[in-house]
C-alpha cells in the first residue's frame, strides 16, 4: 500500500485550481498557492526568506485583488530561477520572488483565467501565456506582447505540449463553449468538441494530454482522438500527470471535489491508486520537496492539508492499493459467471413459459388478429407463471424510431421530434434518452401519464448547438399495469444541422453573405447536405447542376440559403455569422480543404461592431476619469483624517465630529464611485468580448493560413485603432 | 489498543440470502463447518480446506429459505440445523441427515424461528406459534410485524420467555400465550441475540439491532426491562441486520460484531463499564445478512464469516494474506491459480451456451406465436424515515449489477446527495400536468448492486414514488417498485403521549367500520400495520420527527378522534380523511375543537430549533470573513471570545450546516402552514398575509411572532 511520505498543514485556505510549485532561488522547491483575501502563500521549508511577514515556513504576498490563476516557471532561460506569474481579473503580474521584485505588470482587460509559462512553437522567447475572455496573450520576460489570438469563448484552461510530435510546443486551449482547440502558434490545427466546459488540461506522455470537464468527466486524448474517459458525480478540480507506479509511463492523477485523489492508467483509465482527503482537493503538483533529488507527487486540499507521495518502489510492482490480485480475479470471474448464469436462467424460464402456454398460444395464432399475447388477451394465468410477476410481450415486438423536424406552433416551440413506437399494442411506459451536451443533465426522460399510455411516445428535443449527437434510447415496453417491462435499447444519431427546416422559394434571402470557391463536384456537396441536415427525403441538385436550398432556422436566427453553381462557387446567405463559419469549417474538413479564402459581407454585424467599438472608447474614457477622481479623493481623505485626529488630540470634539462626518460622506462617495467603476468595467468587458468574438467569427469563415491571417490583421488594426481597416480585413480576409 | 487487521477471503457464492441464514456449526476438529440457506431453497453445509469449498451436504432447490437456526439439547451443544421455508421447518444433523420435516400449518409463511431444546418458536408476519415436540402449545397475535424471535436460555431462566422484535419499536416479552410486557426501543428492532450467546450471567441480557442502525442491550427481568446501554447511529450508517458475540480481538473479553444493510461489518469491544467501543470497520458493497465468528478457513486463525444479500459467503480473517502470498500479492498461489483456471474454463463453456441461447431467443422475434417472457427478479428494498434529519432513505439492492434506475414522483420531493453512492444522477425536465414532479435517472458504475437515495418530503403533499430498476443482465428488463409518501410523512410511531399539552381535537362520526377507518389512517400515516389490529377500539400515538409535536389517533366503529398540539397536523388529517371518505361514498360528520393555546405552544416548541438554526446560519456566514481577518491580522486576540469560538468550531459548524440542508426553509414552511391552517379553521383565507409573516420571521423574535399570530384578524 502506497502511503504519504510526508504530510503537513499550511493552516491557510487554498483556492481551488490555484496551486503551483517553483524553484524561486533555482534550487529549492516552494509550494505556492492563492489563498483567501487576495493573497498568495509561499511555503518554503528549505530556505529562510525575508519576503512578507514570515510565519513559520510560510510567507504571504499581498496581491490585494482577487487572484484568478498562478503559475511558476522559468521565464528567463539564462538563469535557473523560476518566476511567479499571478493573474487577476484585470491584470497579470510577474514576480521574481528571490529578488522580491516585480518583473512586469500588465493590464489585461480580458482577465486571465489560466496561465502557463513555456515556449510556444517558433516564437523564440519563453512566454507567460494567459487565457481570458475569448483571447489568449503571451508576454515575454520584458512584458512585451509576443502572441495574441482569439478563441470561441472564455478560456478555462491552457496546456503547452508537443501535440504534433514535431519537437515544438503547441498550445491546447479549453474554453466554455465545450471546445478544445490546439494552436500551432496562432493557427488552429485541431478542434475537439466536448460536452461541457473544459476546466483542466494537462500534458502527458508525448502527444497525449489529460482533460477534465465541469460535469465530472476526466479523460485522456492522444492527439485529436480520445483514449478513454470516465464520468463521476463529483467534479475533477485538478489533473496532473505523474508516474506513480514507476513503470515508466505517467498516470493521470485527478483531485476531486469530494476530497478523493485517484491515479488512473493513461491507457485504460483503470484506477491504480486512490486516497482521500477530508475536503475538496485544491491542487496536485510534483516537485523535489525532500531535497533528495527525486520527485514527489504533492496533493493540496482546500483546507491547506498537504500530502506528498514518493513514486512506488520496485517491490510493490505496480500494486499500490494493497489489493490481493488473486482474490480480486476470483471475485471478478465469479461475478461474471453469476451474471451469465442469470442470463441463462432468463432464457430457460422464457422457454419454459412458452412451452407451458404453448397450446393456448398456438390456438390464438389461428384466431383473427393473430399475436400470442395482447392487451386484451393477456398471458394465460398459470400456477407457475403469472403475468404480474413476469413481463410478457410478443416476441415479434419491435421498436421503431423516427426523427423529424417540427417547426412548432403557438403552444410549442420548434423542436426535433423523436417518435418511439412499438409495432403492436404493447405500450411504451417510459423513454430514457442518454445523450451528452443537449440536455440539462446527461439524460432526458419521458414518462407519460398513466391515462395516456399508448404504443407511441413523442419526444421533443431541442439541441442547443449544431453538433452531431448520439442518442442512446432506452424504452420500457410492456402492458398497462404490469410490474415488469422489457427494456429496448438502441442508438440513433442526430445529424449536425438538425434545427433547420427545408423550405421553398417563399423564404426571403438574408443580407449576410459568405462566398468561396471549391474544386468539387456539386453531387458531393449535395451528399454532404443530405448527411448533415435532418431531411425527410434526400435533396438533389437541379437540372442545370446548380444548387439552391433554402432553410429556416428553428432557433430564430432567420433564413439560411445554400447555393452552389457548376463553376464551384458556394454562397451562404445567412445573418448568423456563427452558422456560416460553422458550415465553412465542417464543409472544409469534409472536402479535406487545408486553406480556404472567403469573402464575406455582414452589414448588420459590422454596424454593431462599429457601435461596440465606439462604446469601448467611451468606457475607456470614463474609466480614466473615474481613476483620476479616485486619486483626488484619496488625497482628500488623508487630509481629513489628519485634521480630525488633530482635533481629537486637541480635545476639540466639535471639529473632530465634523471631520469624521465629512470623512464618512467621502467614504460613501468613494463606495458609489467604486460601484460605478465596477459597472463600467463589466460593460467594458462585455464589449471587448463582443469584439473578440467578431474577430473569431471572421476567422472561422476562413480555413488554414487565411484564418491566421485574418486574426492577426484584425489584432493589428485594433492596436493601431484603425477601424476602417478592420472592416476591410473582416470582409476580404486581409492579405 | 491493538489494531485489528482483517482480510477478506471469498469462499462461495450461493443464491440470495435472508438475514440470519448462515451459521457456523460447533467445532469438530480444527475448523468449523458453515451451514447456509438461500432463496433458491438450497441449504448446504460445507467446510473449507486450503481455500476450497468441501461440500458436506446440499439439499435440492425448493421454496426460499427465510431463516436458519441451530438447535440442540438445553444447555448442550447446538449442532442441529433447522431451516424455515414457507410454512415448513426442517431439521438436519451436522452430517446433513434430514431428521425432521414439520409442516406447521401456519397461515402465514414463517419469517423467523428459534429453537430451544424441544421447543420450537415460529413467527410469521404477525403470528407467533410455540410448538413443543411439534405440538402446538401457545399462540400470540402481534399488533405489528414481527422481525425476529428469541427466548431466554431455559436452563437459567426456568420459564420459557419468548421475546418478539416488532416493527412498532417494541420488544414484546411473552409468557405462554400472554403478553408479559412491552419494551420500548429507539428504532424498529429487526434482529435479536442473546448477549454472549447465553444471555450473560442471569441469562436475561438481550442485544437488539434496529433498522435505523442502532444497537442496544436490555435486561429482560421477570417484571420489567432494564436498559443497559444504547449505541446511537451518529454516522447514519445502514440498518443492523445481524449481530454476533465473539472475542475476535483476542483480549479475553467478548466483542460485538455487527452487520449492516449498507455493507458495513463493525467490531466493537467493551470498555471497563461494559459499554461498547468502536474498534474496526470493514466495508463491503452489499448488505451483510449474517455475521458469525469462528475458525473456518485456516486452523488457528479466527475470522468473521459473513453472508451478503447477493449470496457471497466470505471470511474476514485475522490471518494476514499478505504474508502467505509473500510481499508480492500479484504473484498467485498454486491453489489460486488452479481456481482461476477452473473458473476461466467454466466461463468459456458458459459463454458458448449463453451465445447459442441468445441466438435462439433472438430468432423467436420472427415467430408470430412466440412470446418473450423474462422472469422477475427480487429487489431487496427499504424505505425508512430517519429521525435525525426528517428525511427518507430509499435503498435498493439486487443480486446482479444495476444498470440504471429511473425515479419518478407524482408529488413534489427533493432528492439529496448520498455521499457513498457513486451513481451519476441526472434530473430531467418534467411537467407536473403529466403527473411528473420529478424524473431522475441514476446511471450506476459497473458492479454496483446496491443504490441508496435520500428523499425529503413535505407534509400535506402526498403521492407515490416509482422506481424503475434495470439490472445489467440480458435480455434487459426493468421492474417497478412503488413507495408511498403519506400525507403525514414525517410522523413516527411512539408509545408516549403527553396529555398536558394544549390539544386540538378532530372528531369524525359516520357509517364506517373500524377496518375502514384503519385503512384511511394507514393512508395518512407511516409505520402502521396494514392489518386492522384486534380489539374494539384502537389507539396509536405519533410524534413529528421534525417538530416534536404529537398526535393521538383513537378510533372504533363509527367514531374516530384525533388529538394533536399541531393545528397543521389536524388540518391535513381533516382534508385527507374527508377526501378518502368521499371516495368511498361514506358520509362523515366532522367536529373540531381548536385550542387557541396550542398555537403559542407549538411556536414555543419550534422556537429553540429555529433560534438554533438562525444562529448556526449566522455563524457559518461569518466563518469566511473571520478567517480572512485571521490571515490579515496574524492573530485573533483582538476578536471577541464569541468570534474566536466560531473560528475554533468552524469545521464542526460547517459540517452541521451541511448535514441539514434547507432546515431553516423547512421550519419557515411549517410556521407558514401553521399560520394558514389556524385561520382556515376560522374560515379565513390568510394567504395574503404570508409576506408579512415572512417579514416577521426575517427579524425573528418569539414574542413578535406569537403576537403576529394573535393579532392578525
Amino acid at each position: 500500500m502506497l502511503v504519504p511520505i510526508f504530510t503537513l498543514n499550511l493552516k491557510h485556505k487554498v483556492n481551488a485550481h490555484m496551486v503551483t510549485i517553483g524553484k524561486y532561488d533555482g534550487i529549492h522547491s516552494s509550494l505556492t498557492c492563492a489563498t483567501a483575501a487576495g493573497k498568495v502563500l509561499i511555503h518554503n521549508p528549505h530556505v529562510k526568506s525575508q519576503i512578507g511577514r514570515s510565519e513559520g515556513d510560510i510567507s504571504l504576498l499581498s496581491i490585494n485583488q482577487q487572484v484568478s490563476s498562478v503559475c511558476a516557471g522559468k521565464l528567463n532561460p539564462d538563469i535557473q530561477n523560476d518566476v511567479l506569474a499571478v493573474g487577476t481579473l484585470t491584470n497579470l503580474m510577474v514576480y521574481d520572488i528571490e529578488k522580491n521584485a516585480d518583473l512586469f505588470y500588465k493590464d489585461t482587460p480580458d482577465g486571465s483565467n489560466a496561465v502557463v509559462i513555456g515556449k510556444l512553437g517558433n516564437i523564440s522567447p519563453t512566454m507567460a501565456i494567459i487565457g481570458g475572455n475569448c483571447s489568449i496573450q503571451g508576454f515575454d520576460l520584458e512584458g512585451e506582447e509576443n502572441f495574441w489570438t482569439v478563441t470561441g469563448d472564455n478560456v478555462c484552461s491552457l496546456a503547452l505540449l508537443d501535440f504534433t510530435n514535431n519537437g515544438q510546443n503547441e498550445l491546447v486551449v479549453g474554453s466554455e463553449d465545450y471546445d478544445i482547440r490546439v494552436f500551432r502558434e496562432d493557427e488552429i490545427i485541431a478542434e475537439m468538441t466536448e460536452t461541457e466546459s473544459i476546466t483542466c488540461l494537462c500534458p502527458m506522455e508525448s502527444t497525449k494530454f489529460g482533460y477534465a470537464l465541469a460535469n465530472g468527466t476526466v479523460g485522456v486524448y492522444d492527439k485529436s482522438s480520445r483514449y478513454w474517459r470516465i464520468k463521476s458525480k463529483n467534479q475533477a478540480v485538478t489533473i496532473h500527470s505523474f508516474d506513480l507506479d514507476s513503470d515508466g509511463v505517467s498516470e493521470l492523477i485527478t483531485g476531486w471535489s469530494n476530497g478523493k485523489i485517484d491515479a488512473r492508467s493513461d491507457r485504460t483509465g483503470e484506477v491504480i491508486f486512490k486516497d482521500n482527503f477530508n475536503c475538496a482537493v485544491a491542487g496536485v503538483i510534483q516537485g523535489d520537496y525532500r531535497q533528495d533529488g527525486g520527485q514527489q507527487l504533492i496533493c493540496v486540499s482546500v483546507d491547506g492539508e498537504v500530502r506528498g507521495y514518493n513514486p512506488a518502489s520496485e517491490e510493490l510492482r505496480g500494486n499500490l492499493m494493497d489489493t490481493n490480485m488473486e482474490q480480486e480475479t476470483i471475485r471478478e470471474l465469479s461475478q461474471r459467471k453469476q451474471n451469465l448464469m442469470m442470463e441463462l436462467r432468463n432464457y430457460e424460464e422464457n422457454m419454459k413459459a412458452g412451452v407451458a402456454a404453448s397450446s393456448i398460444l398456438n390456438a390464438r395464432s389461428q384466431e383473427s388478429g393473430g399475436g400470442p399475447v395482447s392487451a386484451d388477451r393477456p398471458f394465460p394465468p398459470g400456477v407457475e407463471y403469472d403475468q404480474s410477476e413476469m413481463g410478457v410481450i410478443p416476441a415479434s415486438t419491435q421498436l421503431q424510431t423516427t426523427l423529424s423536424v417540427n417547426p412548432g406552433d403557438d403552444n410549442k416551440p420548434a423542436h426535433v421530434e423523436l417518435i418511439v413506437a412499438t409495432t403492436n399494442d404493447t405500450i411504451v411506459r417510459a423513454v430514457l434518452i442518454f445523450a451528452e451536451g443537449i440536455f440539462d443533465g446527461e439524460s432526458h426522460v419521458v414518462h407519460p401519464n398513466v391515462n395516456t399510455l399508448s404504443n407511441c411516445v413523442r419526444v421533443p428535443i431541442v439541441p442547443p448547438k449544431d453538433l452531431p449527437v448520439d442518442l442512446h434510447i432506452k424504452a420500457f415496453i410492456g402492458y398497462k399495469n404490469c410490474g415488469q417491462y422489457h427494456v429496448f435499447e438502441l442508438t440513433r444519431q442526430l445529424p449536425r444541422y438538425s434545427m433547420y427546416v427545408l423550405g421553398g422559394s417563399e423564404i426571403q434571402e438574408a443580407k449576410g453573405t459568405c462566398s468561396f470557391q471549391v474544386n468539387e463536384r456539386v453531387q458531393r456537396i449535395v451528399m454532404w447536405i443530405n448527411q448533415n441536415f435532418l431531411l425527410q427525403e434526400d435533396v438533389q441538385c437541379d437540372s442545370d447542376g446548380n444548387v439552391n436550398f433554402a432553410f429556416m432556422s428553428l432557433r430564430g436566427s432567420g433564413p439560411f440559403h445554400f447555393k452552389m453553381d457548376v463553376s464551384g462557387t458556394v454562397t451562404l446567405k445567412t445573418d448568423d455569422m456563427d452558422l456560416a463559419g460553422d458550415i465553412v469549417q465542417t464543409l472544409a474538413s469534409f472536402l479535406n480543404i487545408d486553406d480556404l479564402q472567403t469573402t464575406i459581407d455582414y452589414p448588420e454585424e459590422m454596424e454593431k461592431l462599429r457601435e461596440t467599438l465606439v462604446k469601448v472608447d467611451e468606457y475607456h474614457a470614463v474609466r480614466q476619469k473615474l481613476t483620476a477622481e479616485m486619486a483626488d479623493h484619496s488625497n482628500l481623505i488623508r487630509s481629513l483624517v489628519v485634521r480630525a485626529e488633530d482635533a481629537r488630540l486637541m480635545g476639540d470634539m466639535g471639529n473632530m465630529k465634523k471631520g469624521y462626518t465629512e470623512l464618512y460622506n467621502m467614504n460613501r462617495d468613494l463606495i458609489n464611485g467604486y460601484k460605478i467603476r465596477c459597472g463600467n468595467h463589466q460593460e467594458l468587458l462585455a464589449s471587448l468580448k463582443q469584439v473578440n468574438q467578431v474577430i473569431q467569427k471572421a476567422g472561422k469563415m476562413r480555413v488554414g493560413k487565411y484564418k491566421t491571417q485574418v486574426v492577426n490583421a484584425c489584432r493589428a488594426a485594433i492596436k493601431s485603432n484603425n477601424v476602417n481597416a478592420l472592416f476591410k480585413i473582416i470582409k476580404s480576409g486581409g492579405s | 489498543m491493538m489494531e485489528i487487521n482483517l482480510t477478506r477471503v471469498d469462499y462461495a457464492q450461493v443464491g440470495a440470502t435472508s438475514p440470519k441464514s448462515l451459521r457456523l456449526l460447533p467445532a469438530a476438529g480444527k475448523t468449523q463447518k458453515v451451514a447456509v440457506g438461500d432463496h433458491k431453497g438450497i441449504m448446504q453445509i460445507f467446510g473449507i480446506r486450503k481455500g476450497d469449498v468441501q461440500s458436506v451436504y446440499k439439499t435440492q432447490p425448493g421454496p426460499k429459505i427465510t431463516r436458519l437456526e441451530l438447535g440442540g439439547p438445553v444447555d448442550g451443544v447446538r449442532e442441529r440445523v433447522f431451516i424455515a421455508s414457507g410454512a415448513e421447518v426442517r431439521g438436519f444433523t451436522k452430517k446433513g441427515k434430514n431428521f425432521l420435516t414439520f409442516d406447521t400449518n401456519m397461515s402465514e409463511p414463517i419469517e423467523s424461528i428459534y429453537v430451544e431444546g424441544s421447543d420450537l418458536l415460529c413467527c410469521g408476519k404477525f403470528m407467533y406459534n410455540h410448538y413443543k415436540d411439534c405440538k402446538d402449545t401457545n399462540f400470540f397475535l402481534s399488533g405489528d410485524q414481527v422481525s425476529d424471535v428469541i427466548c431466554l436460555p431455559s436452563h437459567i431462566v426456568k420459564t420459557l420467555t419468548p421475546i418478539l422484535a416488532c416493527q412498532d419499536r417494541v420488544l414484546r416479552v411473552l409468557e405462554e400465550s400472554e403478553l408479559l410486557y412491552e419494551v420500548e426501543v429507539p428504532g424498529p428492532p429487526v434482529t435479536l441475540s442473546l448477549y454472549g450467546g447465553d444471555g450473560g450471567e442471569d441469562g436475561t441480557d438481550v442485544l437488539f439491532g434496529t433498522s435505523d442502525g442502532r444497537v442496544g442491550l436490555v435486561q429482560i427481568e421477570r417484571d420489567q426491562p432494564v436498559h443497559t446501554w444504547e449505541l446511537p447511529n451518529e454516522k447514519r450508517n445502514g440498518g443492523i441486520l445481524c449481530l454476533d458475540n465473539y472475542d475476535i480481538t483476542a483480549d479475553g473479553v467478548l466483542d460485538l460484531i455487527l452487520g449492516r444493510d449498507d455493507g458495513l461489518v463493525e467490531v466493537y469491544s467493551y470498555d471497563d463499564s461494559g459499554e461498547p467501543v468502536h474498534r474496526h470497520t470493514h466495508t463491503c458493497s452489499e448488505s451483510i445478512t449474517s455475521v458469525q465468528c469462528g475458525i473456518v478457513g485456516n486452523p488457528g486463525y479466527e475470522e468473521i464469516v459473513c453472508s451478503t444479500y447477493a449470496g457471497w459467503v466470505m471470511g474476514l480473517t485475522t490471518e494476514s494474506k499478505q504474508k502467505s502470498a509473500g510481499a508480492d500479492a500479484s504473484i498467485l498461489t498454486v491453489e489460486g491459480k488452479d481456481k482461476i483456471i477452473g473458473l476461466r474454463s467454466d466461463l468459456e463453456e458458459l459463454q458458448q451456451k449463453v451465445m447459442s441461447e441468445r441466438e435462439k431467443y433472438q430468432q423467436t422475434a420472427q415467430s408470430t406465436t412466440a412470446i418473450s417472457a423474462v422472469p422477475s427478479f427480487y429487489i431487496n428494498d427499504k424505505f425508512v424515515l430517519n429521525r435525525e434529519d426528517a428525511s427518507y432513505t430509499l435503498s435498493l439492492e439486487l443480486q446482479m449489477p444495476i444498470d440504471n434506475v429511473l425515479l419518478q414522483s407524482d408529488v413534489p420531493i427533493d432528492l439529496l446527495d448520498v455521499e457513498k453512492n457513486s451513481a451519476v444522477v441526472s434530473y430531467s425536465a418534467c411537467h407536473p400536468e403529466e403527473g411528473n414532479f420529478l424524473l431522475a435517472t441514476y446511471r450506476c458504475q459497473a458492479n454496483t448492486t446496491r443504490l441508496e437515495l435520500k428523499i425529503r418530503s413535505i407534509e400535506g403533499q402526498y403521492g407515490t414514488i416509482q422506481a424503475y430498476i434495470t439490472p445489467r443482465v440480458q435480455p434487459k428488463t426493468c421492474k417497478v417498485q412503488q413507495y408511498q409518501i403519506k400525507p403525514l410523512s414525517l410522523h413516527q410511531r411512539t408509545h408516549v403521549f403527553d396529555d398536558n399539552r394544549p390539544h386540538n381535537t378532530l372528531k369524525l362520526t359516520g357509517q364506517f367500520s373500524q377496518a375502514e377507518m384503519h385503512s384511511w389512517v394507514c393512508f395518512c400515516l407511516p409505520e402502521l400495520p396494514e392489518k386492522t389490529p384486534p380489539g374494539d377500539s384502537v389507539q396509536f400515538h405519533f410524534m413529528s420527527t421534525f417538530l416534536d409535536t404529537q398526535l393521538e389517533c383513537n378510533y372504533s366503529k363509527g367514531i374516530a378522534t384525533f388529538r394533536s398540539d399541531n393545528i397543521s397536523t389536524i388540518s391535513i388529517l381533516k382534508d385527507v380523511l374527508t377526501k378518502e371518505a368521499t371516495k368511498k361514498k361514506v358520509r362523515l360528520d366532522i367536529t373540531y375543537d381548536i385550542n387557541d393555546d396550542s398555537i403559542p405552544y407549538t411556536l414555543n416548541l419550534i422556537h429553540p430549533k429555529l433560534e438554533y438554526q438562525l444562529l448556526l446560519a449566522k455563524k457559518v456566514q461569518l466563518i469566511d470573513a473571520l478567517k480572512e481577518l485571521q490571515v490579515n491580522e496574524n492573530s485573533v486576540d483582538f476578536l471577541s471570545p464569541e468570534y474566536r469560538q466560531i473560528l475554533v468550531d468552524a469545521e464542526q459548524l460547517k459540517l452541521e450546516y451541511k448535514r441539514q440542508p434547507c432546515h431553516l426553509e423547512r421550519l419557515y414552511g411549517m410556521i407558514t402552514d401553521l399560520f394558514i391552517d389556524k385561520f382556515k379553521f376560522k374560515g379565513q383565507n390568510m394567504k395574503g398575509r404570508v409576506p408579512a409573516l415572512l417579514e416577521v420571521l426575517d427579524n425573528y423574535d418569539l414574542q413578535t411572532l406569537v403576537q403576529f399570530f394573535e393579532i392578525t384578524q
Side-chain angles (χ1 to χ4, degrees), chain A residues 12-13 37 39 53 55 60 231-233 303 317 319 322-327 329-331 333-347 349-351 353-354 361-362 365 371-373 379 389-396 429-430 432 434 441-445 447 449 474 476 483-487 489, chain B residues 8-10 13 312 321-322 328-330 332-333 336 339-340 343-344 346-347 350 354 357-358 361 364-365 367-377 399-401 403-404 406 408 417-419 421 423-424 426 428 434 436 439 441 443 445 466 468 470 473-480 627-628 631-632 634 651 654:
Chain A
H12 283 275
K13 286 262 165 210
K39 286 185 196 301
R53 274 171 297 107
E55 184 191 313
L60 289 169
K231 191 174 171 189
S232 158
K233 66 168 190 169
D303 268 359
R317 290 201 205 181
N319 184 5
D322 211 10
T323 46
N324 188 326
M325 283 295 288
E326 183 178 309
Q327 285 292 331
T329 319
I330 292 174
R331 198 171 307 156
L333 291 176
S334 311
Q335 188 66 51
R336 266 171 54 195
K337 188 171 160 189
Q338 177 83 2
N339 290 350
L340 285 174
M341 302 274 273
M342 294 266 183
E343 187 175 344
L344 209 55
R345 190 180 82 101
N346 280 351
Y347 296 130
E349 295 286 314
N350 175 40
M351 195 95 100
L361 296 180
N362 284 332
S365 68
V373 284
F379 183 74
E389 277 291 304
M390 203 177 209
V392 183
I393 59 169
S396 56
R429 184 64 197 96
L432 276 64
F434 286 87
E442 58 171 20
S443 69
H444 181 71
V445 181
H447 183 272
N449 197 315
K474 293 177 198 287
F476 297 169
Q484 192 172 2
Y485 297 91
H486 279 65
V487 179
E489 292 178 308
Chain B
R8 175 174 168 166
V9 191
D10 292 327
Q13 191 168 25
W312 283 104
K321 283 286 160 190
Q322 220 59 37
D328 186 359
S330 57
L332 305 177
T333 56
K339 210 167 174 180
I340 289 171
L343 268 170
R344 283 240 160 92
D346 278 3
L347 262 180
L350 213 56
V354 167
E357 286 295 321
R358 200 182 284 175
Y361 172 77
T364 59
S367 152
T368 52
T369 57
I371 51 163
S372 169
V374 180
S376 183
F377 50 90
Q399 235 192 313
M400 42 226 165
D403 186 68
N404 67 71
L406 163 64
Q408 181 265 343
D417 185 46
V418 179
E419 216 156 291
N421 131 24
V424 179
S426 160
S428 172
E434 282 173 12
N436 298 321
L439 284 171
T441 55
R443 190 167 52 82
Q445 313 279 354
Q466 297 193 86
Y468 293 81
T470 314
V473 170
Q474 293 292 336
K476 274 206 176 153
T477 54
C478 76
K479 198 167 166 178
V480 196
K627 285 230 159 140
E628 195 167 328
V631 171
N632 266 323
N634 223 349
E651 287 322 297
K654 272 190 179 168

Side-chain angles (χ1 to χ4, degrees), chain B residues 195-339:
Chain B
Y195 173 75
D198 56 4
E201 276 172 32
D202 301 331
T204 53
D205 292 351
V206 172
L207 288 160
F208 61 86
T210 69
S211 63
D212 57 357
R214 297 159 204 263
V215 194
L217 179 67
V218 64
Q219 269 179 301
I220 306 293
E221 305 276 344
R222 187 74 190 94
D223 323 304
Q224 61 181 39
V226 180
H227 285 275
T228 314
W229 51 260
E230 253 165 41
L231 202 65
N233 184 16
E234 270 158 4
K235 286 191 185 149
R236 295 189 194 158
N237 291 328
I240 312 285
L241 287 182
C242 46
L243 17 98
D244 194 24
N245 305 279
Y246 194 81
D247 181 17
I248 194 85
T249 50
D251 55 1
V253 187
L254 283 181
D255 302 308
L256 174 65
I257 292 96
L258 304 179
R260 295 184 186 262
D261 63 9
D262 59 350
L264 297 188
V265 179
E266 291 179 314
V267 179
Y268 286 83
S269 292
Y270 293 102
D271 64 11
D272 298 336
S273 57
E275 301 254 341
V277 190
H278 179 257
R279 289 292 299 276
H280 184 79
T281 301
H282 184 93
T283 314
C284 304
S285 54
E286 301 161 0
S287 302
I288 306 295
T289 48
S290 312
V291 283
Q292 286 285 301
C293 296
I295 297 169
V296 173
N298 211 343
Y301 292 101
E302 284 153 330
E303 63 183 293
I304 307 173
V305 180
C306 318
S307 64
T308 70
Y309 169 74
W312 283 104
V313 178
M314 67 203 184
L316 302 175
T317 170
T318 50
E319 179 189 5
S320 166
K321 283 286 160 190
Q322 220 59 37
K323 220 190 316 166
S324 69
D328 186 359
S330 57
I331 289 179
L332 305 177
T333 56
V334 181
E335 298 102 54
K337 218 173 190 170
D338 290 347
K339 210 167 174 180

Side-chain angles (χ1 to χ4, degrees), chain B residues 44 126 285 380 482:
Chain B
Q44 49 188 318
F126 294 93
S285 54
N380 183 17
Q482 295 191 333

